[in-house]
Amino acid sequence: MSLLQFFIIIIAVIFFLFWVDLYKRKKMNILHFLVFVFWSAAVILFAINNTLLNKFGNFFGLTRWADLIVYWSLVVLAYFYITLLNSHTKDKQELTRFISQKSINKAYELEKDNIKKYKNKTEKDEFIFNIRAYNEWKVIWNVVDQIVKEWFKKIVFVNDGSKDNTLEVLDTKKKKYKDCLFIIISHDINRGGGAANQTWYRFIQDYSTELNAKWFVWFDADGQMDIKDMSKFMSEIKKNNWKYDLYLGSRFVQWWKAKNMPRSRKIILAISKIVTKIFYWANISDPHNWYRVISMDAFKKIKLTSDGMHYANEVNEQIRKYKMNYKEIPVNICYTDYSLEKWQKNSNSIKLAMEMIYKKIFFR
């Protein structure tokens, strides 16, 4: 058996397993399944027995060109799989929209009186922080304390179906800091980082007037970001007098600002910069740094659809689409054993790359 034969058989088996899984989950009908089974069987049979393939080709007058049947079969199978994957992705998006809207409505009903009562007292009340959390009880308590310590008092949390004590920690902090405006939105089930972002995007876009905030701040729950960097963002906002729509935190404006960053991470982020420029024409030195501050007017233009990590690419693409003026700000990002273990695995970059290619090229 040649290497090409072996490769073709492996591809056919993988596709077959994918389709069995989709059929079990009722993501395709019996006709799709039968067509796929027929072509998978044909590909495997012809890959194993070249003589049979040649005889089949001779019957149609193709001789050795019968190999094209195998390649055409692979294309057909890929087309069917992508078609069904698109359908499945749209179903996931609809589920996320349902869970998100249900969570938003519930949170607003609970907090609308507190939102209306809260009055801005300082310029820091013009900033609203947004933190998504999934099983972050070990660190999020300290993140909240650090933010409040710097006199920022508006935070929207999205508890993305945490199975640990994250929600209890947030409730405790809400009771402790009664002079702050803490809004906790909880998903019934975990939907992913992108889905959590969608929820607080929609919440703040819907109620931005009542929240009386001028600037939207992306912030993480894992303790990597330094709240003291907000002084740099605020200084730049004052200095530029609304010249920029968006201020992007960057680990590479001053590269030494990233503490304990593994070398492999530096390589991956350097590659992501190149890929972002090729795919989205966005010249951003640190495209996946989520420490950002955006004006509310610019923020209202952004729309997210991804449940997964692709949300960062969606935002970067819309920065260019809406011709947002932006400036990069050096920030301190501290890598810890906790963050590297939970969120910063190098394998995540592979998943992100695959999702980016799929969403950019194949998803319709």
Side-chain angles (χ1 to χ4, degrees), residues 50-66:
N50 285 335
T51 302
L52 183 62
L53 177 61
N54 291 333
K55 288 180 179 179
F56 184 79
N58 288 333
F59 179 78
F60 289 96
L62 295 174
T63 64
R64 283 295 301 176
W65 288 99

Side-chain angles (χ1 to χ4, degrees), residues 54 57 61 84 89 93 105 107 113 133 179-180 284 297 310 314 329:
N54 291 333
L84 292 173
T89 300
Q93 290 176 348
N105 293 343
D113 291 337
D179 62 332
C180 296
I284 300 173
D297 289 339
H310 184 64
E314 287 187 309
I329 308 296

Side-chain angles (χ1 to χ4, degrees), residues 348-360 362:
N348 288 342
S349 61
I350 299 174
K351 295 178 183 177
L352 177 59
M354 293 176 65
E355 186 177 4
M356 178 187 67
I357 294 171
Y358 163 64
K359 287 289 181 67
K360 190 68 176 177
F362 299 109

Side-chain angles (χ1 to χ4, degrees), residues 211-262:
L211 290 167
N212 196 19
K214 295 181 180 179
W215 296 93
F216 177 95
V217 184
W218 285 276
F219 210 80
D220 284 345
D222 59 9
Q224 284 194 120
M225 296 177 177
D226 188 349
I227 186 60
K228 293 187 181 300
D229 282 333
M230 278 301 298
S231 62
K232 301 175 191 174
F233 286 107
M234 293 181 69
S235 176
E236 288 294 333
I237 290 171
K238 288 181 181 179
K239 183 169 66 176
N240 291 291
N241 194 27
W242 295 88
K243 178 181 178 181
Y244 297 103
D245 303 301
L246 180 62
Y247 294 87
L248 309 177
S250 175
R251 288 161 282 196
F252 302 109
V253 174
Q254 295 176 350
W255 59 266
W256 60 87
K257 290 293 185 180
K259 299 175 183 177
N260 305 322
M261 182 189 290

Side-chain angles (χ1 to χ4, degrees), residues 12-30:
V13 171
I14 290 173
F15 271 111
F16 180 77
L17 294 175
F18 277 144
W19 279 64
V20 168
D21 179 63
L22 288 171
Y23 182 66
K24 286 181 177 179
R25 290 188 282 125
K26 299 181 180 181
K27 296 301 179 182
M28 64 178 181
N29 59 39
I30 188 66

